[in-house]
Amino acid sequence: MTRTPDEIKRELDNPIHVHYHISDIEQRLTPLALHDLEFMHADALALIKQLEAQNAELLEEIERLQAERDAAVNDLKELADRHGACLGCKWFTGERCGDTEYKIICGFHDSKWEWRGVQKEERNE
């Protein structure tokens, strides 16, 4: 049975109930060991909550960055439509349109401009 993160957190937040019947375990499970186990539970719960908060912050940052990227790409597309700029288009080879089959015919306010996406920078070492 798979438990949800919320179920696990609730269990970690509850007191530890120890049920044992073997005398060997009984001798090793001292009050100090139980105390350490309780602290371990508390630390695990605190860590889970901390990671969840960090995750939420990162998700917000991702959403913000994606919105910024989408707005920038839309601005580039509009500039291409208005001025016939090919820079940044996935079809542009640096000198001309790379559409060798001539299926892409760009005209004023009717460009087939598509963002080329993120390009890896070549490193000269």
Side-chain angles (χ1 to χ4, degrees), residues 75-94:
D75 288 348
L76 288 171
K77 168 79 168 114
E78 187 169 327
L79 285 170
D81 287 349
R82 288 185 184 188
H83 303 290
C86 295
L87 190 63
C89 181
K90 77 177 192 176
W91 305 109
F92 187 60
T93 64

Side-chain angles (χ1 to χ4, degrees), residues 73-97 104-116:
V73 169
N74 287 335
D75 288 348
L76 288 171
K77 168 79 168 114
E78 187 169 327
L79 285 170
D81 287 349
R82 288 185 184 188
H83 303 290
C86 295
L87 190 63
C89 181
K90 77 177 192 176
W91 305 109
F92 187 60
T93 64
E95 296 177 12
R96 61 181 173 76
C97 185
I104 298 172
I105 301 170
C106 292
F108 190 67
H109 290 290
D110 188 31
S111 80
K112 305 297 187 255
W113 187 95
E114 290 182 59
W115 183 45
R116 67 177 182 202

Side-chain angles (χ1 to χ4, degrees), residues 58-72:
L58 289 172
L59 288 174
E60 286 179 19
E61 179 73 2
I62 288 169
E63 289 174 1
R64 184 186 65 76
L65 291 171
Q66 287 174 333
E68 285 180 12
R69 181 213 50 215
D70 293 345

